Amino acid sequence: MTTTETSVVHELGTLAHRLSHPARTRCVCEPSQVLADRPDGTVVRSGAIVAKAHAVDTDREALAARIALADAPQLTGILLPPLTAPGQSLTAPEHQESSGTPRRTGLYALPAPASRPVTLWPFGAPVDPFDPGAAPWAEAAALLARLHRTEPPFRLPPMRGPVKAARAVARMRAALPGEPAVLPVLAGWRALPGWARGAAPAPVQRAGFLCHGDLHLGQLVRHPAPDGPWLLIDVDDAGTGDPAWDLARPAAWYAAGLLAPEDWSAFLDAYRSAGGPAVPAAGDPWPELDVPARALTVQTAALALAKCAAEQRDPDEHEQLMIESCARIATLPPELATVRPS
């Protein structure tokens, strides 16, 4: 860890501790815990508070809109709301709700040289990675359906799913220039329509819905911990777009054989039962899910190859399955015909 990275972790831990620990009381707190440390986000917990430093190149205005979304009353019980620290606000820009009432949201900054935007959150209990049988697939689907049915409370940036997929492919290309290993992934990528590669606007019928943008089981927590209701976290990629994108990762895993049929059925059935608009209420869901699922397959495979290059190792069994899936989807037409039941 570099000096700057160490400083970021220290500053986040200090901020979270100051907010979590009552003033003028003897400190018996446990040391701060680093929950994640990646280029796109460093997350540190102290007690009941979680502080997140976002990437240096984060669009602060877009991030502020997304944080305001998590704090909007319409999203209560769906998204984990942020915390604010009075007197420490960097910008806290206002966003106009549909009611005309401006809301402020906490967006802070680390001191130079880091200068990274920071957000604050209550701690929630995450999904247990060692108990796959208890994975809340149905709960995640119901939350997504509620999110997708919610009218955006104010103007939001586009959901960043296609942009993230494009960045994953660019990262793979930079890590493995000219390597044959990337060819199946690139073939799958080129077979996608432009809107799924972030190169064109999404079709009108696929746009305008409130989306999470990066749904996986790591994006759910119980709050209050440890037994509160499940809520969605991490709104860094949220915005308006195609709701099918939020179903794409489990769909891709199911298609590749990484998600059990019973888990996929539980997820899809719960989404439909909750009135989710991404797929028809009955019948074949794949005309709507096909392109986003292909894009998430390519994204996952590209990130796997980039990670393998950095770690100087071969792909593991699961990574290899996603890479092989890219070769298969490259042979398919760009989009399946969408036929909704009458």
Side-chain angles (χ1 to χ4, degrees):
M1 188 179 291
T2 67
T3 301
T4 300
E5 290 169 337
T6 301
S7 175
V8 168
V9 169
H10 174 75
E11 292 288 347
L12 290 176
T14 299
L15 176 59
H17 179 263
R18 185 162 64 244
L19 297 176
S20 179
H21 184 71
R24 299 185 181 86
T25 60
R26 181 172 175 269
C27 181
V28 292
C29 302
E30 296 181 358
S32 299
Q33 179 184 5
V34 179
L35 303 181
D37 190 13
R38 303 183 303 271
D40 62 338
T42 302
V43 185
V44 178
R45 174 196 175 191
S46 180
I49 306 296
V50 173
K52 178 175 181 178
H54 302 259
V56 174
D57 62 351
T58 296
D59 181 332
R60 283 162 169 76
E61 184 176 354
L63 176 60
R66 291 171 170 127
I67 303 307
L69 176 69
D71 198 38
Q74 296 92 325
L75 279 303
T76 299
I78 301 174
L79 299 177
L80 182 72
L83 299 173
T84 57
Q88 301 181 51
S89 177
L90 168 65
T91 54
E94 292 184 350
H95 291 276
Q96 207 74 15
E97 292 197 4
S98 56
S99 63
T101 303
R103 293 187 59 82
R104 286 188 174 272
T105 161
L107 183 59
Y108 310 94
L110 292 176
S115 299
R116 291 167 63 178
V118 172
T119 51
L120 303 170
W121 307 88
F123 173 74
V127 175
D128 185 352
F130 301 106
D131 188 7
W137 287 111
E139 292 86 345
L143 286 170
L144 284 180
R146 291 175 59 195
L147 178 70
H148 296 162
R149 296 198 326 261
T150 302
E151 189 73 21
F154 41 77
R155 186 172 181 176
L156 288 162
M159 175 266 294
R160 293 179 66 246
V163 172
K164 289 194 72 171
R167 287 185 176 182
V169 172
R171 179 179 166 187
M172 176 192 69
R173 282 174 160 152
L176 294 164
E179 291 290 332
V182 307
L183 295 179
V185 182
L186 291 178
W189 181 244
R190 294 186 184 111
L192 292 170
W195 69 264
R197 293 183 280 110
V204 174
Q205 70 271 22
R206 292 182 180 269
F209 291 89
L210 196 52
C211 302
H212 181 274
D214 188 29
L215 188 279
H216 53 80
L217 290 181
Q219 307 289 38
L220 287 99
V221 298
R222 285 189 180 275
H223 179 73
D227 300 315
W230 290 105
L231 297 172
L232 294 169
I233 64 170
D234 190 358
V235 292
D236 289 30
D237 303 301
T240 52
D242 178 7
W245 203 277
D246 286 341
L247 281 66
R249 185 176 270 108
W253 288 354
Y254 167 67
L258 297 178
L259 182 64
E262 57 269 24
D263 290 332
W264 169 247
S265 294
F267 178 82
L268 184 61
D269 291 348
Y271 183 82
R272 283 172 154 167
S273 295
V279 295
D284 185 5
W286 284 100
E288 281 78 10
L289 297 180
D290 175 64
V291 169
R294 290 196 227 177
L296 262 293
T297 298
V298 171
Q299 176 181 321
T300 303
L303 290 176
L305 284 172
K307 186 176 181 180
C308 288
E311 298 173 358
Q312 298 184 327
R313 63 173 177 83
D314 293 328
D316 63 27
E317 181 181 359
H318 288 177
E319 292 167 337
Q320 190 60 42
L321 277 174
M322 300 306 285
I323 295 166
E324 292 171 358
S325 293
C326 290
R328 289 195 298 273
I329 65 179
T331 66
L332 300 174
E335 284 191 81
L336 299 180
T338 302
V339 180
R340 288 186 177 273
S342 58

